[in-house]
Amino acid sequence: MTSVKRKGILERLDAGEVVIGDGGYVLQLERRGYVKAGHWTPEAAVEHPEAVRQLHREFLRAGADVMQTFTFYSCDDKLDISGNAPNITCQQINEVACDIAREVANEGGALVCAGVSQTGVYKDRSSESEVKAIVKKQLDVFLRKDVDFLIAEYFAHVEEAVWAVEVLVTSGKPVASTLCISPKGDIDRVCPAECAVRLVKAGAKIVGVNCHVDPTQCLNTVKQMKEGLDTAGLRAHLMIQPLGFHCPDCTSAGYIGLPEFPFALESRVVNRWDVHKYAREAYTAGIRYIGGCCGFEPYHIRALAEELAPERGFLPPASQKHGLWGSALEGSSKPYVKARASRSHWENLKPASGRPLCPSMSIPDA
Amino acid sequence: MTSVKRKGILERLDAGEVVIGDGGYVLQLERRGYVKAGHWTPEAAVEHPEAVRQLHREFLRAGADVMQTFTFYSCDDKLDISGNAPNITCQQINEVACDIAREVANEGGALVCAGVSQTGVYKDRSSESEVKAIVKKQLDVFLRKDVDFLIAEYFAHVEEAVWAVEVLVTSGKPVASTLCISPKGDIDRVCPAECAVRLVKAGAKIVGVNCHVDPTQCLNTVKQMKEGLDTAGLRAHLMIQPLGFHCPDCTSAGYIGLPEFPFALESRVVNRWDVHKYAREAYTAGIRYIGGCCGFEPYHIRALAEELAPERGFLPPASQKHGLWGSALEGSSKPYVKARASRSHWENLKPASGRPLCPSMSIPDA
Amino acid sequence: MTSVKRKGILERLDAGEVVIGDGGYVLQLERRGYVKAGHWTPEAAVEHPEAVRQLHREFLRAGADVMQTFTFYSCDDKLDISGNAPNITCQQINEVACDIAREVANEGGALVCAGVSQTGVYKDRSSESEVKAIVKKQLDVFLRKDVDFLIAEYFAHVEEAVWAVEVLVTSGKPVASTLCISPKGDIDRVCPAECAVRLVKAGAKIVGVNCHVDPTQCLNTVKQMKEGLDTAGLRAHLMIQPLGFHCPDCTSAGYIGLPEFPFALESRVVNRWDVHKYAREAYTAGIRYIGGCCGFEPYHIRALAEELAPERGFLPPASQKHGLWGSALEGSSKPYVKARASRSHWENLKPASGRPLCPSMSIPDA
Amino acid sequence: MTSVKRKGILERLDAGEVVIGDGGYVLQLERRGYVKAGHWTPEAAVEHPEAVRQLHREFLRAGADVMQTFTFYSCDDKLDISGNAPNITCQQINEVACDIAREVANEGGALVCAGVSQTGVYKDRSSESEVKAIVKKQLDVFLRKDVDFLIAEYFAHVEEAVWAVEVLVTSGKPVASTLCISPKGDIDRVCPAECAVRLVKAGAKIVGVNCHVDPTQCLNTVKQMKEGLDTAGLRAHLMIQPLGFHCPDCTSAGYIGLPEFPFALESRVVNRWDVHKYAREAYTAGIRYIGGCCGFEPYHIRALAEELAPERGFLPPASQKHGLWGSALEGSSKPYVKARASRSHWENLKPASGRPLCPSMSIPDA
């Protein structure tokens, strides 16, 4: 399948458009029964393509402008360790994942973005060639499948991300890069401002953060990145794809350090109104590529698209099945439900956990 | 499509087997972008059959023995009011929904169950013929599609449920019936014990509760039903399909009365370990048809199947992507994550809400 | 010291007056350093009379119409077991406690009430004479000191309370009696309605509850007592002296069953606005003897007196140092503090615990 | 009354002794009915000396080595504005307060410390002479009463504190100084390290913090002060008197900015086990003058003395009425209470608030 001709990612961002990203695949597909927690490898693309295709479609319907290929941790070292799929190779996964993403992207006006992430071999400076070889191998497939742009995401060491960017830019495709770091910086204590500078100098045209911490903390980090770039006189587009979980109790290890990770995070899931607030704050901070990571389900992406509909000029297809700010409750025969058809109800609500034996914060294990 | 020959629902239950039900369709498809909250009608069966089929498949993979047709609120009065799908009739929806359920059921060894629910016309004794006509109309389609058994579910007045059962039993198919009531009884204050007696006398072979309140409260109600039947010297199988939300603060109006309904329930979602506990308690209480309603996602159904695997003798397909009690974390490279590969960790965890500004209970609006 | 001539307790209640009780002595004196938790015996009356006198005075200033003698658990068996005061006898304690209460009562217009409580010897019917002998011994001192009226309080078995009342009424003094029971009834499952009937039949002119559970639950219980008396055609005054702790998680064992008892109850302490609400509800329920038990400090008693000032026609002395509903904040130089000089601020506030690692309810040990 | 000859404050600290401070007077006396919230002036010393004396005695019994004179906000401008006591002068209050403190101090081996606090006239540099005049007037009384040492406490601007210290040191008495600041520094954003340096240079021999924020935050601030002094090569003793309230949600305005201040702070009160932890951490951080401020009741001070008994070599008098770590529960007849006679029970307990409708944190008004 080849790409339909449409405006590229940089054309869109350069024109000042808001780009809505998609949500999280691995945690959602774990809940649907197709991904094994722990190693999180994406063999479902080969084993159950219909399940992966369906989730892509839901994000597309919800308003996502980008389909990220379901290739997370699809590098040989990770797949081998997982033992999840002994007869499947990463090359197979990556090829099929690109095809699925393209198929669904073509159903709307979306772009296909293929990603690489932190490897298992990174140690220090000495591992550069090893890391780059792994990235290169993935890139070869992505280029053969002619994806629209590339992302180096979910890196905890900016140094490793820089290496990945250096490989990806050789393709001539636009390159984005996001780190999974807290407002305090990367694992090596490089501050967000400096991280952004290094990524842009390496060739990334879009920089930001993804995963590990919640929208509030991610916004903090990207704002620091912006300041760093401004101070350095560098220009790049800003991107944010936070967790869909509230975790103010996280340390720099992110939500992986919480005792609830990964099997008891339900009570932390953000709701659609939290997403409205996050979308508005991200936009106001000057970020134009706005999506989600683990915990972001299709309806969260729809909330992004609905909050930013005034700026974008249109609502996504899935809004046909959603009244803005609860307005679909107006037809309820129960007066107390009808009374909730109101923006102020949902904006001011402090939702109860229903768990009186549970606290509001945990002590992280890490 | 016709049914493959397999053991019927009563044969299974009479033989002492555990039957795992499926989870909730409307809320989950709302989140996926296919159902509109408020009226909750199931036109997605016609508009987006692939989305409905996929959710059925996920429940099947998770271990469900029954595929309930996605026909909730599919009666003309509800669909007209909703305005969600002006060019689609309930007959169309019901037909397609039966076909989809059958198609997926045949992929495993599952049964197809078609359901009717409370109507909008019920008032009092005078509405009997009107209610029965609506039920009859739905039943005609279900019989034409040769479903395996029938359910009258989500009734708040036992009187209306009895009428529905009276219609359904004319088919000769096995009939189940569940009420959406609290431990205090139905809306007219008929106690659970008496409700069960009336349903069984009307011809239901399987009785219990679904929706509206949480597993703890549903268990309480079904236990009362059991006592009522025992005292009356009646025999029937017991069934339970509770909410997948913690709501100890509910009044008899159920979760619909909570200010979080339906758009801010995230923090109340039960986790897989809560489901293990619920499954065990339901089994111990003598209930053998055990499923879920709104809030139950595929992984919750898998948790039912995993908890009851010793009794059932097998694990469901989706357990290939899940380590029992977190065991898949044993391979983690992070020692603090590895330490969570333990039943005691998950059983004893009191998961934090991550929301220090929110309470643990709400004051219901109703 | 002899009593000043003033209106007796029954004259006041018969005339429809509101009688404000005092608060809790043992827990407050534990915090001040004079009572040992565990056995809770009142030797401080002899060892540190100035400390006991001061607390009495604070309750008097706060509006209490009754000074209860600090003689809780002052019977020989309890004092011996405690080992707290090897050289002090109960007779000494009881005498001094009566003197202190009288001294302070005379500083205002208050009455002195002397109390007996559950004994350590109660088992069953066979222990009647033993229990009565202990009560009689305490009563002898109280009569010698000419207290104004008597109370049999903090009984968990209504049977034992009846015996105590039977002894106390022989004195000719008015007798009140309160049980430390939950809305479910006494330890032997005698329901509150029946408990009230038995106490009144034994001769108590004032009946109700004290201690063990919170204001909400105590109100529930006294309402049941009232219904029981009404149904039986009996007349008595109603009395309530609940805990000053929120404990909706209590079982029938009361707050003693909570893991926080007795050294970590701080976060449960009711505030003055909770007391306003409680006072109003008690009054509306027809209760006219309204006080507090453990956890009620002087400012809680003042809140009772302030809420019921319209009915009583006056404010207590300590209100000279308190603005109604926060009005004293009007003079604040900080605008955000000044804004709190408002009834609606305090009535609607949901005070935070400041403890994000803690839950809102506990699982009782008992 | 004159002072008994005993070791002075600097002799004790220079010898490495731990000095236990006393707790909070104004909030506790507000609850007892003698201080009016809002203006918080100390006319009770004159109006009700027995109430002030009693609270002093309780702190002494609990182990306090210092009696701070009850002279908070006893400067003419504050007293006039309050209108609480039209016929009483500050001079009267200060004299009586010194006498009461001395009387009680002599009952044990305690020292008398007289304090001055922030004035209402401080604006900027131009107000120096006015501020100093107010301090001088108070100091004159303190010298006449021959207090043992002086403290300039509860200053939000280090500049004003420095002026106060400059006045106090003219007396030749040892001078301590504590600021009511957060870890971020004083109102003018002077960091804690620099604040400490300025106070020591002005002549304070003991420096630290009091009030406004909780023990955790106060410890943070004093550690910064220590680092500042070490870096500057200065030597001084460290002092800490934090709030007895949990308030992790405070901004730099401290607990005054919380919506619960001052009438709904109950749920935030620290318990005795929190105090043990705080005492140990303060000691470990090198702080030797350890006390409390608002919210610290006598039993909290006893907990300080009990935690540091190994270092001090003795227990306070009030420990005769307290078993260490709950040991007094060993004699309980209830097995589940007896089981709480254990250090691990109390150290690990996460006490519930009993308030399921309330959150764990507030949004500060300021």
Side-chain angles (χ1 to χ4, degrees):
Chain A
M1 213 171 301
T2 57
S3 74
V4 171
K5 201 61 212 162
R6 60 175 66 95
K7 266 168 84 179
I9 186 70
L10 293 179
E11 288 170 274
R12 296 179 190 210
L13 291 168
D14 287 344
E17 288 180 27
V18 173
V19 171
I20 303 287
D22 53 4
Y25 286 83
V26 289
L27 261 77
Q28 184 59 19
L29 287 171
E30 196 277 337
R31 293 190 174 187
R32 297 186 183 191
Y34 299 99
V35 163
K36 192 164 188 175
H39 288 291
W40 309 107
T41 53
E43 61 278 5
V46 171
E47 295 174 333
H48 297 282
E50 76 287 359
V52 176
R53 187 182 300 114
Q54 176 60 27
L55 184 54
H56 272 298
R57 265 193 195 127
E58 295 168 12
F59 285 133
L60 185 79
R61 261 178 75 72
D65 295 312
V66 176
M67 294 290 104
Q68 272 196 241
T69 58
F70 182 52
T71 53
F72 183 72
Y73 271 175
S74 183
C75 49
D76 294 331
D77 59 325
K78 297 276 185 190
L79 192 64
D80 287 353
I81 294 169
S82 81
N84 287 349
N87 303 313
I88 298 175
T89 65
C90 284
Q91 183 171 326
Q92 276 179 282
I93 293 171
N94 289 340
E95 287 175 354
V96 173
C98 287
D99 288 345
I100 297 172
R102 175 63 67 199
E103 177 188 350
V104 178
N106 286 354
E107 293 172 11
L111 300 171
V112 172
C113 171
V116 297
S117 305
Q118 56 181 250
T119 66
V121 304
Y122 175 80
K123 278 196 295 282
D124 53 25
R125 187 139 287 285
S126 70
S127 56
E128 179 173 348
S129 59
E130 238 181 315
V131 168
K132 286 186 164 175
I134 289 174
V135 173
K136 182 65 170 57
K137 196 167 170 187
Q138 291 171 277
L139 176 61
D140 288 343
V141 179
F142 299 153
L143 290 180
R144 227 177 313 128
K145 292 294 179 180
D146 194 24
V147 301
D148 296 311
F149 68 103
L150 299 160
I151 186 164
E153 71 170 355
Y154 196 69
F155 283 89
H157 298 270
V158 67
E159 180 177 55
E160 192 184 12
V162 163
W163 294 342
V165 170
E166 287 170 353
V167 174
L168 297 181
V169 294
T170 63
S171 68
K173 303 262 185 197
V175 174
S177 184
T178 52
L179 305 177
C180 55
I181 62 174
S182 84
K184 294 198 173 159
D186 87 343
I187 289 188
D188 306 309
R189 293 281 169 170
V190 182
C191 72
E194 172 65 14
C195 287
V197 166
R198 292 194 198 170
L199 291 170
V200 172
K201 286 189 174 164
K205 299 295 186 200
I206 307 166
V207 297
V209 295
N210 81 313
C211 207
H212 267 207
V213 291
D214 66 20
T216 303
Q217 293 165 79
C218 281
L219 281 163
N220 179 332
T221 311
V222 179
K223 286 176 187 173
Q224 292 183 55
M225 287 180 149
K226 183 174 193 302
E227 282 180 24
L229 294 176
D230 289 349
T231 304
L234 293 172
R235 297 203 50 190
H237 296 292
L238 300 171
M239 174 170 181
I240 186 167
Q241 306 216 98
L243 289 183
F245 302 108
H246 290 286
C247 38
D249 35 2
C250 271
T251 58
S252 58
Y255 81 139
I256 292 171
L258 296 174
E260 291 88 0
F261 177 86
F263 296 127
L265 291 162
E266 283 80 354
S267 46
R268 295 175 178 269
V269 174
V270 300
N271 63 38
R272 60 196 78 191
W273 321 114
D274 295 325
V275 172
H276 272 271
K277 188 164 167 280
Y278 147 63
R280 182 54 50 199
E281 289 178 2
Y283 184 85
T284 304
I287 306 171
R288 289 295 176 269
Y289 190 141
I290 303 172
C293 197
C294 301
F296 266 76
E297 301 184 32
Y299 74 106
H300 293 115
I301 298 300
R302 179 174 60 194
L304 288 177
E306 292 187 345
E307 174 63 28
L308 297 171
E311 283 76 14
R312 309 222 307 156
F314 60 92
L315 284 169
S319 290
Q320 289 162 2
K321 299 293 177 187
H322 193 239
L324 287 178
W325 289 105
S327 61
L329 303 178
E330 258 162 30
S332 174
S333 59
K334 297 185 170 67
Y336 53 84
V337 175
K338 196 180 166 110
R340 295 176 203 141
S342 130
R343 176 167 180 160
S344 71
H345 175 79
W346 299 109
E347 274 193 329
N348 295 321
L349 184 67
K350 301 283 183 218
S353 69
R355 291 172 164 87
L357 298 176
C358 296
S360 68
M361 289 196 191
S362 287
I363 301 174
D365 292 333
Chain B
M1 212 171 303
T2 58
S3 73
V4 171
K5 202 58 212 166
R6 60 175 66 94
K7 265 168 84 179
I9 185 69
L10 294 179
E11 289 171 272
R12 295 180 191 210
L13 291 168
D14 287 343
E17 289 180 26
V18 174
V19 171
I20 302 287
D22 53 4
Y25 287 83
V26 289
L27 261 77
Q28 185 59 20
L29 287 171
E30 196 277 336
R31 293 191 173 185
R32 295 187 184 191
Y34 299 99
V35 164
K36 192 165 189 174
H39 288 292
W40 308 108
T41 52
E43 62 277 5
V46 172
E47 295 174 335
H48 297 283
E50 77 287 359
V52 177
R53 187 181 300 115
Q54 175 61 25
L55 183 54
H56 271 299
R57 266 194 193 126
E58 294 168 12
F59 284 133
L60 185 80
R61 263 178 74 73
D65 295 311
V66 177
M67 294 288 104
Q68 272 195 240
T69 58
F70 181 52
T71 54
F72 183 74
Y73 272 175
S74 182
C75 48
D76 294 331
D77 60 325
K78 297 277 185 191
L79 192 65
D80 287 354
I81 294 169
S82 81
N84 288 348
N87 302 314
I88 298 176
T89 67
C90 283
Q91 184 173 326
Q92 276 180 282
I93 293 172
N94 289 339
E95 287 176 354
V96 173
C98 287
D99 288 345
I100 297 172
R102 175 62 68 199
E103 176 187 353
V104 178
N106 285 354
E107 292 171 10
L111 299 171
V112 171
C113 171
V116 298
S117 305
Q118 57 180 249
T119 65
V121 304
Y122 175 81
K123 278 196 293 282
D124 53 24
R125 188 138 284 285
S126 70
S127 56
E128 179 174 345
S129 58
E130 237 181 316
V131 167
K132 285 187 164 174
I134 290 174
V135 173
K136 182 64 170 59
K137 195 167 170 187
Q138 292 171 276
L139 175 61
D140 289 342
V141 178
F142 300 153
L143 290 180
R144 226 177 313 129
K145 291 293 180 181
D146 194 24
V147 301
D148 296 311
F149 68 102
L150 299 160
I151 187 163
E153 70 169 358
Y154 196 69
F155 284 90
H157 299 270
V158 67
E159 181 176 55
E160 192 184 14
V162 163
W163 295 342
V165 169
E166 286 170 354
V167 174
L168 297 182
V169 293
T170 64
S171 69
K173 302 262 185 197
V175 174
S177 183
T178 51
L179 306 176
C180 56
I181 64 174
S182 84
K184 294 197 174 160
D186 87 342
I187 288 189
D188 307 309
R189 293 279 169 172
V190 182
C191 71
E194 173 64 14
C195 287
V197 167
R198 293 194 197 172
L199 292 171
V200 172
K201 286 189 174 163
K205 299 297 185 199
I206 306 165
V207 297
V209 296
N210 82 312
C211 208
H212 266 208
V213 292
D214 66 20
T216 302
Q217 293 166 79
C218 281
L219 281 164
N220 180 334
T221 311
V222 179
K223 285 176 187 174
Q224 292 184 56
M225 287 182 150
K226 184 174 192 303
E227 282 180 24
L229 295 175
D230 288 349
T231 302
L234 293 170
R235 297 201 51 189
H237 297 292
L238 298 171
M239 174 170 180
I240 186 167
Q241 306 216 98
L243 290 183
F245 302 108
H246 291 285
C247 38
D249 36 2
C250 272
T251 60
S252 58
Y255 82 138
I256 293 171
L258 295 175
E260 291 89 359
F261 177 87
F263 297 128
L265 291 162
E266 282 79 355
S267 46
R268 295 175 178 269
V269 175
V270 300
N271 63 38
R272 61 196 78 191
W273 321 114
D274 294 325
V275 173
H276 272 269
K277 188 164 168 283
Y278 147 63
R280 183 52 51 198
E281 289 178 3
Y283 183 85
T284 303
I287 306 170
R288 290 295 177 270
Y289 191 140
I290 304 172
C293 197
C294 302
F296 266 77
E297 300 183 32
Y299 75 106
H300 293 114
I301 298 300
R302 179 175 59 194
L304 287 177
E306 292 186 346
E307 174 63 27
L308 297 170
E311 284 77 13
R312 310 220 310 154
F314 59 94
L315 283 168
S319 290
Q320 289 162 1
K321 298 293 178 188
H322 192 238
L324 287 177
W325 289 107
S327 62
L329 304 178
E330 257 161 30
S332 174
S333 59
K334 296 185 170 68
Y336 55 85
V337 174
K338 195 181 168 107
R340 295 177 202 141
S342 130
R343 176 168 181 160
S344 71
H345 175 79
W346 299 108
E347 274 194 328
N348 296 321
L349 185 68
K350 302 283 181 218
S353 68
R355 291 171 162 88
L357 298 176
C358 296
S360 68
M361 289 196 191
S362 287
I363 300 175
D365 293 333
Chain C
M1 212 171 301
T2 58
S3 73
V4 171
K5 202 59 211 165
R6 61 174 65 94
K7 265 169 86 179
I9 185 69
L10 294 179
E11 289 170 273
R12 296 180 191 209
L13 291 168
D14 288 343
E17 289 180 26
V18 174
V19 171
I20 302 288
D22 54 3
Y25 287 83
V26 288
L27 261 77
Q28 184 58 20
L29 287 171
E30 196 276 338
R31 294 191 173 185
R32 297 187 182 190
Y34 300 99
V35 165
K36 192 165 189 175
H39 289 291
W40 308 108
T41 51
E43 62 278 3
V46 171
E47 296 174 334
H48 298 282
E50 77 286 0
V52 177
R53 187 183 299 115
Q54 175 61 25
L55 183 54
H56 272 298
R57 265 193 194 127
E58 294 168 13
F59 285 133
L60 184 80
R61 262 179 74 74
D65 295 312
V66 177
M67 294 289 104
Q68 271 195 241
T69 58
F70 181 52
T71 53
F72 182 74
Y73 272 175
S74 182
C75 49
D76 293 331
D77 60 325
K78 297 277 184 190
L79 191 65
D80 287 353
I81 293 169
S82 80
N84 287 349
N87 303 313
I88 298 175
T89 67
C90 284
Q91 183 173 327
Q92 276 180 283
I93 293 172
N94 290 338
E95 288 176 353
V96 173
C98 288
D99 288 345
I100 297 172
R102 175 63 67 200
E103 176 187 353
V104 178
N106 285 354
E107 292 172 10
L111 299 171
V112 172
C113 172
V116 298
S117 305
Q118 55 180 250
T119 66
V121 303
Y122 175 81
K123 278 196 295 281
D124 53 25
R125 187 139 286 284
S126 70
S127 56
E128 180 174 347
S129 59
E130 238 181 316
V131 168
K132 286 186 164 176
I134 289 175
V135 174
K136 182 65 170 57
K137 195 167 170 188
Q138 292 171 278
L139 176 61
D140 289 342
V141 178
F142 300 153
L143 291 180
R144 228 177 311 130
K145 291 295 179 179
D146 194 25
V147 301
D148 296 310
F149 68 104
L150 299 161
I151 187 163
E153 70 169 357
Y154 196 68
F155 284 89
H157 299 270
V158 67
E159 181 176 55
E160 193 184 12
V162 163
W163 295 341
V165 170
E166 287 171 353
V167 174
L168 297 182
V169 293
T170 63
S171 68
K173 302 262 184 196
V175 174
S177 183
T178 52
L179 306 177
C180 56
I181 63 174
S182 84
K184 294 199 174 159
D186 87 342
I187 288 189
D188 307 309
R189 293 280 170 171
V190 182
C191 71
E194 173 65 14
C195 287
V197 167
R198 292 195 198 170
L199 291 171
V200 172
K201 286 189 175 164
K205 299 297 187 199
I206 306 165
V207 297
V209 295
N210 81 312
C211 207
H212 267 208
V213 291
D214 66 21
T216 302
Q217 293 167 80
C218 281
L219 281 163
N220 180 333
T221 311
V222 178
K223 286 175 186 174
Q224 292 184 55
M225 287 181 150
K226 184 174 192 303
E227 281 179 25
L229 295 175
D230 289 349
T231 302
L234 293 171
R235 297 202 51 189
H237 296 292
L238 299 171
M239 174 169 180
I240 186 167
Q241 306 216 101
L243 289 183
F245 303 107
H246 291 285
C247 39
D249 36 2
C250 271
T251 60
S252 58
Y255 82 138
I256 292 171
L258 295 174
E260 291 88 359
F261 177 86
F263 297 127
L265 291 161
E266 283 79 355
S267 46
R268 295 175 177 269
V269 175
V270 301
N271 64 38
R272 61 195 78 191
W273 321 115
D274 295 324
V275 172
H276 271 269
K277 188 164 167 282
Y278 146 65
R280 182 52 52 196
E281 289 178 3
Y283 184 85
T284 303
I287 306 170
R288 289 295 176 272
Y289 191 140
I290 303 171
C293 198
C294 302
F296 266 77
E297 300 184 33
Y299 74 106
H300 293 116
I301 298 301
R302 179 174 60 194
L304 287 177
E306 292 186 346
E307 174 63 28
L308 298 170
E311 284 76 15
R312 310 221 309 155
F314 59 93
L315 284 168
S319 291
Q320 290 162 1
K321 298 293 177 186
H322 193 239
L324 286 177
W325 291 105
S327 60
L329 304 178
E330 258 162 31
S332 174
S333 59
K334 297 186 169 66
Y336 54 85
V337 174
K338 195 179 168 113
R340 294 177 204 141
S342 130
R343 177 168 180 160
S344 72
H345 175 80
W346 298 108
E347 274 194 329
N348 296 320
L349 184 67
K350 301 283 182 218
S353 69
R355 291 170 163 89
L357 299 176
C358 296
S360 68
M361 289 197 191
S362 287
I363 300 174
D365 292 332
Chain D
M1 214 170 302
T2 57
S3 72
V4 171
K5 202 59 211 164
R6 60 175 65 95
K7 266 168 85 179
I9 185 69
L10 294 179
E11 288 171 274
R12 296 181 190 208
L13 291 168
D14 288 344
E17 288 179 26
V18 174
V19 171
I20 303 288
D22 53 4
Y25 287 83
V26 288
L27 261 77
Q28 185 58 20
L29 287 170
E30 196 277 336
R31 293 191 172 185
R32 297 187 183 190
Y34 300 99
V35 164
K36 192 164 189 174
H39 289 291
W40 310 108
T41 52
E43 61 277 4
V46 172
E47 296 174 334
H48 297 282
E50 76 286 0
V52 177
R53 188 182 299 114
Q54 176 61 26
L55 183 54
H56 272 299
R57 266 191 193 128
E58 295 168 13
F59 285 133
L60 185 80
R61 263 180 73 72
D65 294 313
V66 176
M67 294 289 104
Q68 271 194 243
T69 58
F70 181 53
T71 53
F72 183 73
Y73 271 174
S74 183
C75 49
D76 293 330
D77 59 325
K78 298 277 184 188
L79 193 64
D80 287 353
I81 294 169
S82 80
N84 287 348
N87 302 313
I88 298 176
T89 65
C90 284
Q91 182 171 327
Q92 275 180 283
I93 293 172
N94 290 339
E95 287 176 353
V96 174
C98 287
D99 288 345
I100 297 172
R102 176 61 69 200
E103 176 188 352
V104 179
N106 285 354
E107 292 172 11
L111 299 171
V112 171
C113 171
V116 298
S117 306
Q118 56 180 250
T119 66
V121 303
Y122 175 80
K123 278 195 295 281
D124 54 25
R125 186 138 289 284
S126 70
S127 57
E128 180 174 348
S129 59
E130 238 181 316
V131 168
K132 286 186 164 175
I134 290 174
V135 173
K136 182 64 170 59
K137 195 167 171 188
Q138 292 170 278
L139 176 61
D140 289 343
V141 178
F142 299 152
L143 291 180
R144 226 176 315 128
K145 290 294 179 179
D146 194 25
V147 301
D148 296 310
F149 67 102
L150 300 160
I151 186 164
E153 71 170 355
Y154 196 69
F155 284 88
H157 299 269
V158 67
E159 180 176 55
E160 192 185 12
V162 163
W163 295 342
V165 169
E166 288 170 353
V167 174
L168 298 181
V169 293
T170 62
S171 68
K173 302 263 183 196
V175 174
S177 183
T178 52
L179 306 177
C180 55
I181 62 174
S182 84
K184 294 199 174 159
D186 87 343
I187 288 189
D188 307 309
R189 294 280 169 169
V190 182
C191 71
E194 171 66 13
C195 287
V197 166
R198 292 195 199 170
L199 291 170
V200 172
K201 286 188 174 165
K205 299 296 186 200
I206 307 165
V207 296
V209 295
N210 80 313
C211 207
H212 267 208
V213 291
D214 65 20
T216 303
Q217 293 165 80
C218 281
L219 280 163
N220 179 332
T221 312
V222 179
K223 286 176 187 173
Q224 292 183 55
M225 288 180 148
K226 183 172 192 304
E227 281 179 25
L229 295 175
D230 288 349
T231 303
L234 293 171
R235 296 203 51 189
H237 297 291
L238 299 171
M239 175 170 180
I240 185 167
Q241 306 217 101
L243 289 183
F245 303 107
H246 290 286
C247 38
D249 35 2
C250 272
T251 59
S252 58
Y255 81 138
I256 292 171
L258 296 174
E260 291 88 359
F261 177 86
F263 296 127
L265 291 162
E266 283 80 354
S267 46
R268 295 176 178 269
V269 175
V270 299
N271 63 38
R272 59 196 79 190
W273 321 116
D274 295 325
V275 172
H276 271 270
K277 189 165 167 281
Y278 146 64
R280 183 53 51 198
E281 289 178 1
Y283 184 84
T284 303
I287 306 171
R288 289 296 176 269
Y289 190 140
I290 303 172
C293 196
C294 302
F296 265 76
E297 301 184 31
Y299 74 106
H300 293 115
I301 298 301
R302 179 175 61 195
L304 287 177
E306 291 187 346
E307 175 63 28
L308 297 170
E311 284 76 13
R312 309 222 308 156
F314 60 93
L315 282 168
S319 290
Q320 289 163 1
K321 299 293 178 187
H322 193 240
L324 286 178
W325 289 105
S327 61
L329 304 178
E330 258 162 31
S332 174
S333 59
K334 298 185 170 67
Y336 54 84
V337 175
K338 195 179 167 111
R340 296 178 202 139
S342 129
R343 176 167 180 160
S344 72
H345 175 80
W346 299 108
E347 274 193 327
N348 296 320
L349 185 67
K350 302 283 182 217
S353 69
R355 292 172 163 88
L357 299 175
C358 296
S360 68
M361 289 196 191
S362 288
I363 301 174
D365 293 332

